[in-house]
Amino acid sequence: MFMDYLFILLGMVLLYFGGEFLVKNAVTLARGWGVSTMVVGLTVVAFGTSSPELAASLAAALQGSPELAVGNVIGSNIFNVLGILGLTAIIAVIKVQSQFIVREVPILLGVTLLGIFLLRDGYLGRLEGLFFVVLLGAYIWFLYFASKKDTVLESEMTEAYEDGKTTWRTYLGLVLGLVFLGVGARILVLGAVGIARGFGVSELVIGLTVVALGTSLPEIAASVIAALKKEPDIALGNVIGSNVFNILCILGITAAVSPISVSWESVQRDVWVMLGVTVLLVPFLLTGRRLSRLEGTVFVALYVAYVALVLTG
């Protein structure tokens, strides 16, 4: 049992540094190629910080733990909205541009509903997984062309991840990030499954809590840095992009590689919570187009209540 806890701790550390290496060097590479700040924020930063979820879910599915893979995605999406946005808003009020509300939040809602619909029969096959991946490609294409119509300002957040120019160190950093993420995910899943079996706790609960929190460390780091640099709106873009990526890419690639079979009864409570917090995001943002410190505190309190419900339920 001690080794299981050690595996989780070591896995989280590797995931954190792997995510940092990947994001830092991926943004440097993207900026060097002339990609706009909005596209970088909603794709490279958001998708890069979600890489641990992809690695952990894929490893779980390949090890015959589909509930852990699905629980990781659902738990991460819930934590991203309630935990990360809540904490970020407490540090600095999140102000949102109207075009962001009109365009990005409905996309997230649509993707969330689609994910729930396809999970209702308890099976996510290779064809459905490939469909998710195609939708992700369409989303990135949409962002790229939509960004040409937007006026996007350079942010301190982007500068924090940019070292000026692309060198061989950039590519080495990308490789190291991917290696750390892969090894970290493997170790974390082993520890989480060991603890789940040792205490008789379901793998779904471990995926919804320990694994989801551990693989969300890069999102936490990026969002807190953004808030401290007085760029809290970047945190919102990171969370929205990450949640879209979690459903379309993580569930998509995982199902394409290894079809996912999971009981709808075991996940229905949590997928409705995921949908609920996504819907809750809309009125909070529409109140003056911002997420205040009080509202951030409410989000964090709701997440604490959710975790208590999962652990006692």
Side-chain angles (χ1 to χ4, degrees), residues 6-275:
L6 186 61
F7 281 160
I8 286 183
L9 179 60
L10 180 59
M12 287 183 176
V13 171
L14 289 175
L15 286 171
Y16 174 79
F17 284 106
E20 280 295 299
F21 286 161
L22 181 63
V23 172
K24 176 181 178 180
N25 291 284
V27 171
T28 299
L29 186 64
R31 296 294 296 157
W33 286 354
V35 181
S36 73
T37 304
M38 187 197 74
V39 173
V40 170
L42 287 170
T43 56
V44 179
V45 174
F47 296 177
T49 54
S50 289
S51 297
E53 283 95 333
L54 173 59
S57 292
L58 190 57
L62 291 175
Q63 293 176 27
S65 302
E67 286 193 345
L68 189 63
V70 175
N72 178 35
V73 170
I74 297 173
S76 293
N77 278 19
I78 294 172
F79 178 71
N80 284 350
V81 174
L82 296 182
I84 295 180
L85 279 187
L87 177 61
T88 304
I90 291 173
I91 296 174
V93 174
I94 300 177
K95 298 179 181 178
V96 189
Q97 294 180 351
S98 59
Q99 66 180 14
F100 186 90
I101 297 175
V102 171
R103 188 174 63 204
E104 306 303 332
V105 174
I107 289 177
L108 175 58
L109 280 171
V111 168
T112 302
L113 287 169
L114 177 62
I116 293 174
F117 176 76
L118 292 180
L119 280 173
R120 282 187 63 85
D121 63 355
Y123 182 78
L124 202 62
R126 286 191 172 90
L127 186 60
E128 294 166 319
L130 291 174
F131 175 61
F132 273 12
V133 175
V134 170
L135 284 181
L136 178 67
Y139 174 66
I140 295 174
W141 178 88
F142 168 76
L143 287 179
Y144 175 75
F145 284 96
S147 68
K148 293 184 177 180
K149 302 178 182 179
D150 298 331
T151 301
V152 186
L153 301 177
E154 296 297 320
S155 69
E156 295 178 14
M157 179 63 184
T158 302
E159 294 170 1
Y161 281 115
E162 182 180 6
D163 61 14
K165 59 182 179 180
T166 301
T167 66
W168 64 269
R169 291 184 178 85
T170 303
Y171 297 96
L172 178 60
L174 286 171
V175 173
L176 286 176
L178 290 171
V179 171
F180 280 15
L181 288 173
V183 175
R186 173 77 174 182
I187 293 174
L188 191 147
V189 168
L190 286 174
V193 172
I195 291 176
R197 292 171 178 170
F199 281 102
V201 178
S202 73
E203 293 179 354
L204 177 62
V205 171
I206 297 296
L208 287 167
T209 54
V210 177
V211 178
L213 178 60
T215 55
S216 292
L217 284 174
E219 281 100 332
I220 298 172
S223 297
V224 170
I225 290 172
L228 293 174
K229 288 182 173 291
K230 307 302 181 183
E231 293 286 354
D233 55 315
I234 298 298
L236 180 57
N238 180 29
V239 166
I240 298 297
S242 294
N243 281 17
V244 171
F245 180 89
N246 284 349
I247 295 174
L248 295 184
C249 185
I250 296 177
L251 285 183
I253 291 180
T254 301
V257 173
S258 178
I260 300 172
S261 295
V262 60
S263 168
W264 170 250
E265 287 72 20
S266 67
V267 300
Q268 62 176 332
R269 177 198 62 190
D270 304 294
V271 296
W272 292 130
V273 172
M274 178 178 67
L275 177 61

